[in-house]
Amino acid sequence: MTAPIDARTLPSGTVLTPDLAIIGGGPAGISLALALANTKLNILLLESGGENFDPANQKMYAGDADGVHYTALDAGRLRFLGGSTNHWGGWCRPLDAIDFEKRDWIPHSGWPMSRKSLEGYYQHAQKLVEAGPWIYDKADAIIAAKGELLPLGDGGIYTSWFQFSKTRDSDLPTYFGHRYEDDLKRSRVKVLLNANVTGIRLAPDAKRVERLDGATLNGKSFTVKPRFTVLACGGMENVRLLLASNDVMTAGIGNQNDLVGRFFGDNPTPRDVGTMVVFSGALAPYYNNTMQMGDGPVMRATFSPTGDFCRAKKVAGSLTTVEQPVELDETGKAAVITTALALGVDASSAKAYSIGCGMELLPDPDRRLTLTGEKDALGLPRLKLHMTMAEADFTLYRKTLQELGRQLLASKTGMLRLNFDKREEWSKTMDWGNHHLGTTRMHADPGQGVVDANQMVHGIGNLYVAGSSVFPTYGSSNPTLNLLALTLRLADHLKKATA
Amino acid sequence: MIAGVAAVGAAAAAGLYRFTDLFRRHYAPTPYDDLLGQLVDREQAARLGAKVAGGANAGALAARLRAALTGGLTAAAIADAGAGRVQDVDGWLLPDSVALLSALAARA
Ligand SMILES: Cc1cc2nc3c(=O)[nH]c(=O)nc-3n(C[C@H](O)[C@H](O)[C@H](O)COP(=O)(O)OP(=O)(O)OC[C@H]3O[C@@H](n4cnc5c(N)ncnc54)[C@H](O)[C@@H]3O)c2cc1C
């Protein structure tokens, strides 16, 4: 057993020399460490926090924001072992093949890899999130016993599935720190807690990381001299460390093309975007609630646009969910009565539901994180987020909702109201997934991305980035399952690169 | 259940609207009764139709509807939805034929 070491107890000036330093003990860092634990590599996992929440540590996440209203920077993430999975929702869904494609109607879109190159890693990622057997694309048949799928007829929208992370004997999702702490202890991975990396120091030729500066909140400092480094501090903090480490590359590491921190993304989750009426009133419970499938996974249905529809109508990704029942006003009742009677359908038991969604934002270089003049307790400049949302983000999603409405009518299943038209209306119910994406984007061309297809920072042979900050286009699926699959792929790459 | 839908639905299902005028409001004759007669609940349609945007008068609406409803309202509504001929009325997505006939009910 290797118990975690508390960096606050290290003699100041300690120098550590692992083969691989992983900065950040969130799901990405922990999964990478465990995936490489059986290799010959000496691995050091440096985690800023301890095993539990500590307000002083969390304060280092505070920052500013302007533009479109967004979650406070110290509220949308957690800074201790397990990272933000200590308060995540456990929603899991793989990215769709189209999310990886270059979509000519979405500027800056496309990954330098296809969904196929992740296929071999998804099963393992699914195990890590403990979301049960992989039945995302096979659920329709299995689910029939729990209630009929809403018939949608032919069209661009189909019923897709979320699976939920679920810790054994608990309704809570997998908290990576608690869940995998013992696995880390049993492994050869050395875990350093309360260990903040405050700088990544490059060799003078800017081609390699020479050392990492470390500090603790009780005033200790230490140095790490790794052969290889993986930055896994989350989609915001990865940016902060790269930009703040500007002694050799004066614009910040990997920022020679002014890309680090740009293209920040998230999945907006506006509520009550529409009202869906089901004429028969029969809605299977897995539409507006999670549902355990016998001994199998916990699942929930969602309406997703097909790749073909996205291509034909030039829309972005979205996942529309059915929420709580709602009452209709007089116009709504008139609409349902008139339409149902016109379609020749009995609507005497009709029910109406509010619908919400998780959307894919269009990439925007001006939606970005930068450093401010303010510093945290360890002297690191704080972050500022400039948040934007384009008119097109709303209008493209409306097209998808219109198709859902059309299909409900065509199949005589029900009908839909679009509750919002103007941007101000959307903004009123806007919430965020707190999925921090895109800020160290992956691109084969160093002029257009911070990391290459292997997640190596362009030009710096021993520095890699893990996590959703590398997603060049976002998709609408929640990121964690996907960033884990990518991280496991990175582990395979590192096995070769470090040999 | 959406209050108000039940009574109409049950009545329609029982065929009451076809064979009795029990619940039916009486309307003065119009030049469009061939079209309006296809509405099972003209009052609700008129309420909805009041929200249809655009200034087309009853005559113009009727001309469009006579061309569209040759096979009856149900066939037209289903065909509209299938072909993507859908209108947004106060946010509600309606088959064109339903929106136009509702507008006619409001304007006749
Ligand atoms: C409220 C909420 C709900 C969410 N729900 C979902 C969901 O349902 N489904 C889903 O897929 N995703 C969800 N997410 C997102 C999910 O939590 C993240 O995708 C995931 O945690 C990212 O993993 P990560 O390891 O890249 O980063 P993080 O989880 O942010 O972990 C980074 C780690 O790095 C450490 N660290 C930071 N700076 C330093 C430093 N300088 N030195 C050393 N260590 C450092 C931190 O303490 C932390 O432990 C949710 C997020 C939030 C906030």
Side-chain angles (χ1 to χ4, degrees), chain A residues 101 147 177 254 304 387 406:
Chain A
E101 291 172 16
S304 173
M387 194 61 192
R406 186 198 68 74

Side-chain angles (χ1 to χ4, degrees), chain A residues 22-31 45-50 57-58 60-61 71 75-93 129 162-165 173 176 192 194-199 213 215 231-238 240-241 376 378 380 432-437 466-469 471 477-484 487:
Chain A
I22 301 171
I23 313 173
I30 289 174
S31 305
L45 179 63
L46 296 130
E47 167 52 43
S48 160
N57 215 55
Q58 183 68 16
M60 288 193 282
Y61 265 168
T71 320
R77 49 199 182 138
L78 284 173
R79 192 165 170 138
F80 64 103
L81 189 67
S84 290
T85 58
N86 289 297
H87 62 175
W88 76 317
W91 297 63
C92 298
R93 186 176 179 276
V129 295
F162 287 109
Q163 290 190 213
F164 285 79
S165 163
F176 272 64
L192 203 55
N194 303 301
N196 298 282
V197 172
T198 53
D213 295 340
L231 186 54
C233 291
M236 292 184 165
E237 214 60 9
N238 286 347
R240 190 172 171 208
L241 264 178
D376 71 11
L378 296 174
L380 218 65
W432 297 94
N434 297 300
H435 306 152
H436 306 148
L437 317 167
S468 51
S469 64
F471 291 15
S477 293
N478 306 59
T480 308
L481 174 75
N482 300 291
L483 73 86
L484 289 175
T487 301

